[in-house]
Amino acid sequence: MDIEIQLATEEQKKQKPADSELVFGKIFTDYLFEVKYENERWGTPKIVPYHPFILDPATTVLHYAQEIFEGMKAFRHPDGSIHLFRPYKNAERFNRSAERMSMPTVNKDLFVKAITELVKLENEWVPNSPGMTLYIRPTMIATEVALGVHPSDKYLYYIILSPVGPYFKTGFTPTKVYVASTHIRAAPGGTGEAKTGGNYSPTLWSQQKAKALGYPQVLWLDAVERKYVEEAGAMNIMFVIDGEIYTPPLDGTILRGITRASVIELAEDLGYVIHEEPISITDLIDKILDGSCNEIFCVGTAASITPLGEIFYKGESYLVNDCEVGKITQHLYDELVGIQFGKIPDRFNWMYKVQ
Ligand code: PLP
Ligand code: COI
């Protein structure tokens, strides 16, 4: 499928920030990709100068949150080439989210081609500095103008790009989480596994509470028993207990993280034993206190691999490994980030060259 390209004028182009000024998701590039869906089919895909959308105040997405998105990154390699990380995995997850949210799916090849063409056009926006990337945000919104609660008959699928620094200001140093004990993120049968905006807004209350206590992220427990650890606000979680790695299973309420799946494959390849099993917060705390759990880390596209140095649960805080980065966390980080930035050969065939 051909993508129409409308070039920006010099006046429409923005000043590019220095890599050293980059934070997460505040600046957007000169172009976006867009394609509309109506009469049960997708229209002409286009790359056009970045622009605001004009939406009728009664547009469905604004009222009932029929929306899905993805999060991906483009990495610059030492030879200057640009690579995506497993983009077909994001295409598959996007379509799973679309099905859950009663939205149309997108052809997977078009999903990847649209990103490739957009990133190619915006190649100068891909940062060169260590750890800096171009974040990619494919998004679909329901655009029918109607207040009745029903699946929209019109959609807009678009992709925007943002040059980014680390998700946490502190970068690869241990962060701290606040365990939500009164509120939940996702219940069985709900939308926890879908990447939909409506999973995030209900978490803001706990996030504010966490922030006020000095914790940048919330760690969620299962909705039924408030017992088992699920995931953090924007990342999956892994624990090292007696030298083996544990991560909560994909039970329908947590996001099927692509970094999670990749770290599992990587860890196995490196000879670590990895278990996908439920772990209760009280067991975890016991194991932190007796020293058998001496590393915890979070994994996700925006956050990469982020070590976790402190957990706050029901009024008490617990330090993990004296808030130092653990050996296994460091090993997995070096390998994953090494592959993503082209410093280590990609033995898994994960990287997809933009050309
Ligand atoms: N969990 C949640 C709630 C997320 O928003 C994300 C980010 O995408 C993840 C986990 C990690 O998923 P991935 O590794 O695919 O980015
Ligand atoms: C990502 O890691 O890409 C995410 O989507 C997390 C986001 C909610 C910041």
Side-chain angles (χ1 to χ4, degrees):
M1 191 179 260
D2 284 340
I3 301 173
E4 264 181 39
I5 298 183
Q6 183 193 325
L7 293 178
T9 60
E10 282 313 308
E11 293 77 64
Q12 281 173 316
K13 291 195 181 163
K14 301 168 189 162
Q15 180 97 30
K16 293 184 185 62
D19 286 0
S20 58
E21 288 167 21
L22 295 176
V23 291
F24 183 80
K26 295 270 193 192
I27 291 172
F28 300 90
T29 66
D30 293 326
Y31 291 93
L32 57 78
F33 169 91
E34 62 184 3
V35 56
K36 289 183 179 151
Y37 180 94
E38 56 185 48
N39 300 323
E40 297 182 9
R41 57 187 295 273
W42 289 104
T44 308
K46 293 178 185 161
I47 291 176
V48 296
Y50 194 95
H51 63 92
F53 297 138
I54 294 174
L55 295 176
D56 188 288
T59 302
T60 313
V61 65
L62 302 177
H63 298 267
Y64 307 125
Q66 203 191 1
E67 185 264 5
I68 57 170
F69 69 98
E70 267 304 322
M72 310 164 65
K73 279 176 173 172
F75 301 84
R76 190 174 300 276
H77 283 194
D79 66 359
S81 60
I82 298 168
H83 300 251
L84 308 174
F85 184 70
R86 313 188 79 182
Y88 277 91
K89 291 279 171 209
N90 295 88
E92 282 163 22
R93 187 171 64 190
F94 192 71
N95 282 341
R96 283 176 73 114
S97 300
E99 275 164 24
R100 178 65 184 85
M101 300 302 291
S102 307
M103 299 170 90
T105 55
V106 172
N107 176 293
K108 281 188 242 167
D109 292 321
L110 176 65
F111 181 96
V112 175
K113 186 176 173 186
I115 292 168
T116 310
E117 293 301 313
L118 187 60
V119 172
K120 238 193 317 187
L121 190 64
E122 298 282 51
N123 70 83
E124 288 177 13
W125 283 90
V126 182
N128 280 300
S129 308
M132 307 285 178
T133 56
L134 187 67
Y135 186 75
I136 304 163
R137 178 51 69 89
T139 308
M140 197 197 306
I141 58 172
T143 52
E144 184 181 338
V145 175
L147 292 185
V149 178
H150 58 252
S152 171
D153 64 5
K154 292 190 183 68
Y155 295 90
L156 174 66
Y157 170 50
Y158 64 92
I159 305 167
I160 52 175
L161 306 176
S162 174
V164 298
Y167 189 65
F168 294 107
K169 281 192 213 101
T170 44
F172 188 69
T173 52
T175 187
K176 318 197 279 186
V177 291
Y178 165 94
V179 180
S181 50
T182 53
H183 290 57
I184 57 149
R185 175 186 175 273
T191 57
E193 202 182 77
K195 210 157 161 60
T196 179
N199 283 341
Y200 295 79
S201 45
T203 67
L204 301 177
W205 189 91
S206 303
Q207 194 179 306
Q208 290 286 92
K209 201 165 160 75
K211 209 171 157 195
L213 291 167
Y215 294 84
Q217 273 283 311
V218 177
L219 181 60
W220 296 100
L221 300 180
D222 79 282
V224 178
E225 295 183 71
R226 311 279 164 91
K227 178 174 172 192
Y228 296 102
V229 176
E230 296 234 307
E231 64 179 326
M235 307 169 290
N236 295 112
I237 190 159
M238 300 195 171
F239 315 95
V240 178
I241 300 170
D242 294 326
E244 300 188 351
I245 305 168
Y246 290 77
T247 193
L250 300 174
D251 59 0
T253 56
I254 67 174
L255 198 77
R256 294 173 165 260
I258 293 161
T259 321
R260 175 189 179 281
S262 308
V263 168
I264 290 175
E265 216 179 308
L266 181 62
E268 279 172 346
D269 183 74
L270 294 171
Y272 294 111
V273 176
I274 184 154
H275 309 262
E276 295 181 67
E277 318 184 339
I279 174 154
S280 74
I281 185 70
T282 45
D283 273 359
L284 180 67
I285 287 169
D286 287 346
K287 289 183 193 316
I288 293 171
L289 289 173
D290 74 16
S292 51
C293 173
N294 59 355
E295 297 187 42
I296 305 184
F297 54 94
C298 292
V299 299
T301 299
S304 182
I305 293 183
T306 297
L308 211 150
E310 188 182 327
I311 287 198
F312 182 91
Y313 178 59
K314 291 193 172 166
E316 297 282 338
S317 86
Y318 304 90
L319 287 191
V320 184
N321 197 28
D322 276 336
C323 220
E324 299 287 331
V325 178
K327 268 202 203 124
I328 296 178
T329 310
Q330 183 75 54
H331 190 194
L332 293 168
Y333 175 85
D334 291 344
E335 287 277 331
L336 179 72
V337 173
I339 292 170
Q340 290 176 326
F341 281 94
K343 303 253 166 81
I344 292 180
D346 175 17
R347 57 195 185 278
F348 303 101
N349 227 351
W350 283 339
M351 304 313 290
Y352 184 94
K353 191 167 181 183
V354 172
Q355 55 190 3

